[in-house]
Amino acid sequence: MVVKKTFVYWITGLSGAGKSTLCRKLVAHLREQDRPVVMLDGDELREALGAGAAYTRNELLALAKRYAHLCHLIAVQGFDVAIATISLFREVHEWNRVNLPGYVEIFLDVSMDELSRRDPKKIYERAAKGELQSVAGVDFVVEYPEAPDVLLAWHENLTEESAFNELLNKLAALGVA
């Protein structure tokens, strides 16, 4: 029996950056390649773990660590993991690099102007009105990855499809996916 190397695709960026969309496309692609893969979405995980009211830095850091440990548990059982999560803590990124098998950090770098334009959950709009606090990238200081394996920087001509193709090309250059 040949044991395939597993990968953990940690897709990170601010709210509205397109993490979940890109994650779903990556998972579909991996499944087409007959890779056993588990998709985790930060919004769904928050709900599943009963962490809907976690907003302080310490609470969010603890939550990100739980996500990382969950990824580890799944990956060591022979599954790839693709997770879409904000989790912009260098401490977590460093832990992931040491402990997650086949860790691939994917950072979606999208300007605040573009995020505010998209704002599918009205998070930035509500933050601007003072209705929301502890919004990552607004009044909650985030720590962007220092050296992501894949950097997808938003620009005006970047579409959902071209971003995904760019991701696949960069993963291929790394020898994964």
Side-chain angles (χ1 to χ4, degrees), residues 5-10 64-77 79 81 90-105 149:
K5 180 178 179 178
T6 60
F7 294 95
V8 175
Y9 302 94
W10 187 273
K65 288 179 179 178
R66 290 164 68 187
Y67 294 172
H69 284 273
L70 180 60
C71 290
H72 182 266
L73 285 173
I74 296 168
V76 297
Q77 294 181 52
F79 295 89
V81 181
R90 289 208 180 112
E91 178 181 341
V92 173
H93 303 153
E94 289 167 8
W95 187 90
N96 289 350
R97 288 209 180 278
V98 172
N99 295 288
L100 295 181
Y103 179 66
V104 181
E105 193 172 85
D149 300 293

